[in-house]
């Protein structure tokens, strides 16, 4: 019997307490959707609805007199690969001047608006911008 819980699979834990001494521990696993409950009326139960299930359970337990004692991150979730490419060299093909107003053109590797996002050449004079097709 081990006294050290194996929590390598746990991403985040919520701990609730009740005035009668009951304790509930809700674990969200690192897969992002498995929710496991220890203690309380759902002891040993498991769901697969992620944070939505956690919110649902917290609401339910609070309605039953439990209080959230603490919650804490156990392990980081699986890393999402967001490539960090701060040293992107400027690609070839920058226009000498803006074709619209002839002002100088600058390169912005992270230009974005509500419609598009990506590398762009931007005019310093008007709003012209040409997106690179990567
Ligand atoms: Zn321009």
């Amino acid at each position: 019997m081990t006294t050290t819980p194996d929590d390598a699979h746990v991403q985040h834990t919520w701990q609730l307490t009740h005035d009668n001494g009951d304790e509930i521990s809700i674990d969200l696993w690192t897969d992002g959707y498995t929710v496991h409950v220890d203690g309380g009326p759902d002891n040993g139960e498991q769901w697969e609805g992620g944070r939505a299930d956690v919110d649902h359970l917290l609401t339910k337990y609070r309605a039953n007199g439990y209080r959230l004692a603490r919650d804490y991150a156990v392990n980081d979730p699986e890393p999402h690969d967001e490539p960090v490419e701060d040293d992107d060299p400027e690609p070839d093909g920058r226009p000498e001047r803006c074709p619209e107003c002839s002002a100088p053109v600058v390169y912005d590797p992270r230009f974005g608006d509500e419609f598009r996002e990506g590398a762009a050449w931007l005019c310093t004079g008007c709003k012209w911008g040409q997106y690179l097709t990567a």
Side-chain angles (χ1 to χ4, degrees):
M1 172 177 168
T2 174
T3 55
T4 304
D6 176 13
D7 59 4
H9 59 290
V10 178
Q11 172 186 148
H12 203 103
T13 293
W14 289 260
Q15 291 188 334
L16 298 98
T17 59
H18 195 283
D19 286 340
N20 67 13
D22 257 7
E23 291 185 357
I24 299 177
S25 170
I26 304 174
D27 289 338
L28 175 65
W29 291 10
T30 53
D31 59 18
Y33 60 84
T34 302
V35 176
H36 187 89
V37 171
D38 280 318
D42 299 314
N43 185 30
E45 293 283 340
Q46 199 161 299
W47 291 267
E48 295 189 342
R51 295 259 176 179
D53 274 342
V54 172
D55 288 342
H56 177 78
L57 290 167
L58 289 174
T59 301
K60 173 177 144 184
Y61 294 149
R62 278 176 173 140
N64 285 303
Y66 288 87
R67 290 187 315 261
L68 182 63
R70 62 181 185 138
D71 71 286
Y72 54 93
V74 181
N75 294 291
D76 286 332
E78 295 293 321
H80 297 285
D81 282 329
E82 303 250 347
V84 179
E85 295 172 6
D86 286 333
D87 297 325
D88 272 358
E90 179 176 325
D92 294 332
R94 182 227 290 235
E96 286 276 307
R97 294 184 175 283
C98 174
E100 298 292 322
C101 70
S102 298
V105 171
V106 297
Y107 174 65
D108 184 348
R110 298 199 190 294
F111 185 73
D113 60 24
E114 58 186 305
F115 304 110
R116 302 179 292 185
E117 193 173 334
W121 285 294
L122 302 174
C123 173
T124 56
C126 70
K127 297 265 187 182
W128 176 84
Q130 177 178 324
Y131 284 79
L132 304 178
T133 52

